[in-house]
Amino acid sequence: MKNFNFISRLMITLLSVALVACISSFVMLCIYGINSKLFTFNSDKVEETMLSSAQLERTFDYGNSYLKGIVFVSDKSMASISTRDEISKNQVWSTKDNSLPLDYNLATTSIIHSDGEKGSSIADAIELYKPQYVIITVGIENGVGHCTEEKFKEYYTRLIDSILDKSPDTRIILQSVFPVSKSAEKNDPSISNERIDQANMFIASLAEELAVRYLDTASVLKGEDGRLDPKYDSGNGISLNSDGYGAVLEYIKTHGYK
């Protein structure tokens, strides 16, 4: 009988210790997850995962007045965003044919800016206008599937350094490369969504290294299969339609940088 009572008390003690350990582990996991930003949350059916401490988190809606202070330096991914009423043509800086490859000479590439007629390098345009914010969207051309991580970061860094050299107070946001459709992947395997996700990891990591910010817009454009949601596809599997750009702008406004 004494042995039975001893075993019973021992089992109760062990169960109590196990229960306390489980509760402690759960509490620590919650605290660690919040502090390290390695957590997900659902908003409008979009799951957001923090890629780095540089990533812009969800905020209140900063409104269209916030958008007006942004210049978009972009390849073909964002070159047509001025079709939206919220964005004027002089806010979108790209080449005449909307091609802005990621390469060594990116900062000195001749772009169209301001009134749509003036041409100069990105660096010179930055020096002239000194915008409050610059959102950089490059990498689908030449970068994804072509550049190593070292080269990818090198070309981005040269552009960022040239901007800050001309306008130190300009706040720089690196935007994720957008996902593409299944047909686009088939037509050009070098721009697969797997490679795009990898490139976005490069961008997020670099934003942290250079103390600029990262905008994970790609997350709001993905369908359930991780590819470009068909409702945002302009028809070629790469470019966005008006609804797609609307989703991007909504994300920008609700992930503000102050």
Side-chain angles (χ1 to χ4, degrees):
M1 188 68 174
K2 290 182 178 179
N3 288 338
F4 176 80
N5 290 336
F6 173 78
I7 293 173
S8 297
R9 287 196 297 272
L10 179 62
M11 291 297 294
I12 292 172
T13 301
L14 290 174
L15 288 173
S16 298
V17 170
L19 180 59
V20 170
C22 288
I23 293 173
S24 299
S25 297
F26 176 77
V27 171
M28 290 301 295
L29 179 61
C30 291
I31 295 173
Y32 179 78
I34 291 172
N35 286 342
S36 64
K37 300 181 180 179
L38 296 175
F39 65 94
T40 60
F41 67 93
N42 290 322
S43 176
D44 299 327
K45 300 181 180 180
V46 175
E47 186 178 82
E48 300 184 357
T49 302
M50 305 306 290
L51 300 180
S52 78
S53 62
Q55 183 168 323
L56 289 168
E57 300 183 51
R58 190 173 183 86
T59 62
F60 61 87
D61 191 331
Y62 279 44
N64 289 343
S65 59
Y66 173 67
L67 296 179
K68 295 302 180 184
I70 299 172
V71 161
F72 297 88
V73 174
S74 177
D75 55 24
K76 58 188 176 183
S77 301
M78 290 281 283
S80 298
I81 198 168
S82 60
T83 56
R84 296 282 307 190
D85 292 338
E86 301 97 316
I87 304 298
S88 63
K89 288 184 177 180
N90 62 12
Q91 288 180 256
V92 184
W93 296 0
S94 189
T95 61
K96 190 173 183 179
D97 60 357
N98 295 335
S99 176
L100 201 59
L102 181 63
D103 60 28
Y104 184 84
N105 298 311
L106 180 58
T108 57
T109 299
S110 180
I111 59 166
I112 304 299
H113 58 86
S114 183
D115 59 8
E117 296 179 359
K118 295 178 181 178
S120 67
S121 69
I122 295 173
D124 288 343
I126 290 291
E127 184 175 27
L128 181 62
Y129 293 100
K130 291 182 169 51
Q132 184 177 5
Y133 298 96
V134 169
I135 291 183
I136 300 172
T137 314
V138 294
I140 193 66
E141 298 178 77
N142 194 54
V144 175
H146 293 85
C147 292
T148 63
E149 179 177 1
E150 180 183 6
K151 289 298 182 184
F152 203 100
K153 289 185 174 183
E154 177 188 347
Y155 301 154
Y156 254 92
T157 300
R158 284 179 57 81
L159 176 60
I160 293 167
D161 286 348
S162 70
I163 291 173
L164 293 178
D165 180 59
K166 300 295 185 180
S167 182
D169 294 330
T170 292
R171 296 185 176 186
I172 297 177
I173 301 171
L174 308 184
Q175 182 165 232
S176 57
V177 178
F178 298 158
V180 297
S181 70
K182 184 177 181 178
S183 61
E185 287 182 309
K186 185 176 180 180
N187 291 335
D188 186 356
S190 71
I191 58 169
S192 68
N193 283 289
E194 182 179 358
R195 291 185 175 182
I196 289 173
D197 288 343
Q198 183 181 51
N200 286 335
M201 292 296 291
F202 298 162
I203 298 171
S205 172
L206 183 64
E208 189 170 351
E209 292 172 21
L210 299 183
V212 297
R213 306 309 297 272
Y214 174 72
L215 191 68
D216 184 30
T217 322
S219 61
V220 79
L221 298 173
K222 290 182 177 181
E224 293 182 356
D225 62 357
R227 299 183 175 95
L228 178 63
D229 193 317
K231 67 183 179 183
Y232 297 140
D233 189 348
S234 67
N236 62 14
I238 299 176
S239 303
L240 303 181
N241 58 21
S242 181
D243 288 341
Y245 283 132
V248 168
L249 292 178
E250 185 66 22
Y251 190 92
I252 292 172
K253 290 190 297 182
T254 55
H255 293 74
Y257 181 11
K258 288 292 187 181

